[in-house]
Amino acid sequence: MTLSLYERDSRALSSLQNLRFFPLAVSGGRGCFLTEEGGRELLDMSASWGAASLGHGHPAICEALAKASKDHAGCSILSAASLPAVELAERLLALTPGVGHKRVWLGHSGSDAIETVARVVTAATGRPKILSFSGAYHGGTAGSMAVSGHSAQEGVEKSPGLTLIPYPDPYRPIDGDLSGDAALAHLRDLFRTTCPPQEVAAVFIEPIQADGGLIVPPTGYLRKLAALCAEHGILTVCDEVKVGVGRTGKMHCFMHDGFTPDIVVMGKGLGGGLPISAVIGPAHIMNHQSAFSMQTLHGNSIAACAALAVLTTIEKEGLASKALQTGQVLQDQLRQNLEANPLVGDIRGRGLAIGIELVTDQKTRAPASEAAAMAIYRAYELGAIFYYVGMNSNVLELTPPLTLSATEAIAGSKIIANALDDVANGAFDKSKITGFEGW
Ligand code: PMP
């Protein structure tokens, strides 16, 4: 009996890291398409949760990897300076605004980068507390989960110094406030009562709350939050892991709001599919202590060369502005195609980070989580890959490769509309989603 790739996966791989929504089994990929076992091509509207920033098999990454492995500058930066890592750090410093001397830490993932920041900000400032947002997903290691506020990690131990604050969601405003000021007032209250600001080392901020529901905060909110934190000497840490590296039309997403964080965390798209992350922050924090946060392969030359190729390609091909333009095409098409669909409550995003929030009732805005699970399954059947996010599991998330063409965006939008129509019309067999619990 020949087993399918999906069955072999279930028999060989642990389910601890499964986050499955449909039985996708991939054997290859090119450009913005993934090839399923059997040869079917699927339009990749997720880019593996944003990691495949240049799509699949981009020549710049292929060349960089071949070159790096032929003349290999070692595997580790712990006990030697390594040319690709130094070049990458220099490039990141040049790309990241901010005052004073900065240094770069290189890691493997968003999770290890966030964990490092959470440890070092408290150690270096002597302040024990950390703020982060309800709905925030900052990673899947113990230290990064400890400073996250996502419902998927319920029951996971939190940092004793953690205080969660509300993320201003214009679709679900606090007390009807669309400015973000109510969220800031809540924080001021905390400062006056249970969370003295002089005890807070840092606030972790997603410039778009991605896994929490692709929530774009109100204009000006991040700037005001940063100013309030600066008053109290609280470091702002911007987690750009999902929406950074050109995805929203600028190199860093925080640049949309005229706010410059003290510490920037990058990951996912930085490596274009290779595992690499980066933290860029003030030297007095980032040089706090040697041998403080290290793993043998951190900043290894292969991953660093991939990241250099990604940054060079984004610049050479103008991929940040292309993401803005294609994102606009995609959002416009979605608005047109989904206008009449009763499930669609909101369409939002920046560049190629787009969310479609599904509701069962336009007035009450009750989350339609089952519809989201069915819609992404149906879209998979129709030929497009993307997943859902959100504290209520009801927001379809689109983070395609930055190389997505307008034609592909239009094709993707049609598939999404057809899938949502099928779900709204009851033309999808609900039993298919059994066993794909997602998150
Ligand atoms: N930060 C953000 C904003 C993320 O979206 C994620 C992953 N979804 C992470 C951190 C963790 O990244 P990784 O899974 O690559 O460790």
Side-chain angles (χ1 to χ4, degrees):
M1 181 182 68
T2 325
L3 292 175
S4 72
L5 179 57
Y6 202 83
E7 285 162 335
R8 284 168 60 197
D9 170 273
S10 334
R11 289 180 181 217
L13 280 149
S14 153
S15 68
L16 290 176
Q17 60 207 164
N18 282 6
L19 182 57
R20 299 286 167 85
F21 303 94
F22 33 78
L24 174 63
V26 181
S27 58
R30 207 160 241 254
C32 293
F33 287 86
L34 288 170
T35 315
E36 217 178 8
E37 188 192 35
R40 188 168 75 116
E41 303 240 300
L42 295 144
L43 182 60
D44 188 359
M45 303 285 282
S46 164
S48 302
W49 297 98
S53 47
L54 303 189
H56 306 287
H58 194 290
I61 295 190
C62 299
E63 274 163 36
L65 295 183
K67 191 158 164 278
S69 49
K70 263 197 202 128
D71 187 9
H72 189 208
C75 298
S76 179
I77 60 172
L78 304 190
S79 305
S82 159
L83 182 60
V86 173
E87 282 186 358
L88 176 61
E90 289 169 349
R91 287 282 286 283
L92 292 172
L93 288 172
L95 287 169
T96 308
V99 286
H101 298 296
K102 301 222 164 192
R103 291 291 185 277
V104 178
W105 175 97
L106 296 173
H108 291 319
S109 65
S111 306
D112 67 7
I114 289 286
E115 179 159 335
T116 294
V117 178
R119 288 179 54 223
V120 79
V121 288
T122 46
T125 62
R127 296 178 173 203
K129 290 188 188 295
I130 280 179
L131 297 171
S132 76
F133 287 90
S134 171
Y137 185 96
H138 292 300
T141 58
S144 54
M145 287 194 284
V147 295
S148 295
H150 199 279
S151 46
Q153 296 174 345
E154 239 164 45
V156 169
E157 196 172 341
K158 296 293 161 195
S159 158
L162 182 72
T163 299
L164 292 175
I165 55 177
Y167 198 89
D169 177 352
Y171 187 64
R172 298 176 184 281
I174 305 166
D175 300 330
D177 166 58
L178 290 173
S179 67
D181 288 352
L184 288 170
H186 176 85
L187 181 55
R188 283 199 189 87
D189 271 353
L190 284 174
F191 284 166
R192 273 192 296 270
T193 55
T194 53
C195 187
Q198 65 277 12
E199 290 180 17
V200 180
V203 55
F204 284 71
I205 305 164
E206 286 177 86
I208 290 177
Q209 193 180 72
D211 291 331
L214 217 288
I215 302 166
V216 184
T219 310
Y221 167 75
L222 296 177
R223 209 171 342 115
K224 287 188 244 175
L225 171 67
L228 175 60
C229 290
E231 270 176 42
H232 298 289
I234 298 170
L235 295 163
T236 46
V237 181
C238 193
D239 181 345
E240 293 268 336
V241 169
K242 180 147 343 150
V243 297
V245 201
R247 174 160 298 286
T248 64
K250 295 190 186 283
M251 176 49 67
H252 303 293
C253 184
F254 64 75
M255 291 170 156
H256 288 283
D257 215 8
F259 122 83
T260 305
D262 297 296
I263 297 175
V264 179
V265 182
M266 301 167 80
K268 295 210 195 217
L270 178 62
L274 274 283
I276 188 157
S277 58
V279 179
I280 303 127
H284 70 277
I285 305 283
M286 304 306 291
N287 284 343
H288 170 63
Q289 188 185 306
S290 296
F292 180 86
S293 176
M294 55 178 183
Q295 292 176 37
T296 309
L297 294 177
H298 272 169
N300 74 78
S301 49
I302 304 282
C305 283
L308 280 163
V310 167
L311 295 175
T312 302
T313 306
I314 289 178
E315 204 176 312
K316 225 166 67 189
E317 297 183 8
L319 291 183
S321 45
K322 183 178 155 84
L324 194 65
Q325 284 161 18
T326 318
Q328 197 56 55
V329 171
L330 184 50
Q331 271 208 50
D332 290 348
Q333 287 288 314
L334 289 168
R335 276 180 218 290
Q336 257 177 46
N337 295 338
L338 296 174
E339 205 186 2
N341 194 299
L343 286 167
V344 177
D346 193 29
I347 299 172
R348 56 190 177 239
R350 274 199 163 122
L352 285 174
I354 296 174
I356 306 168
E357 177 149 1
L358 304 186
V359 292
T360 55
D361 182 315
Q362 296 291 337
K363 273 209 190 87
T364 63
R365 300 186 173 180
S369 27
E370 198 172 62
M374 294 196 281
I376 59 169
Y377 196 116
R378 182 66 186 136
Y380 157 70
E381 291 180 331
L382 296 175
I385 301 296
F386 52 93
Y387 311 113
Y388 63 75
V389 292
M391 294 281 269
N392 297 307
S393 308
N394 71 321
V395 181
L396 313 183
E397 182 188 74
L398 308 176
T399 53
L402 307 184
T403 49
L404 189 81
S405 69
T407 314
E408 288 162 343
I410 292 165
S413 162
K414 286 204 177 107
I415 294 178
I416 294 166
N418 290 339
L420 277 164
D421 283 347
D422 287 350
V423 172
N425 297 333
F428 179 81
D429 172 7
K430 197 161 100 179
S431 68
K432 287 181 186 168
I433 61 170
T434 310
F436 295 100
E437 48 289 288
W439 61 342

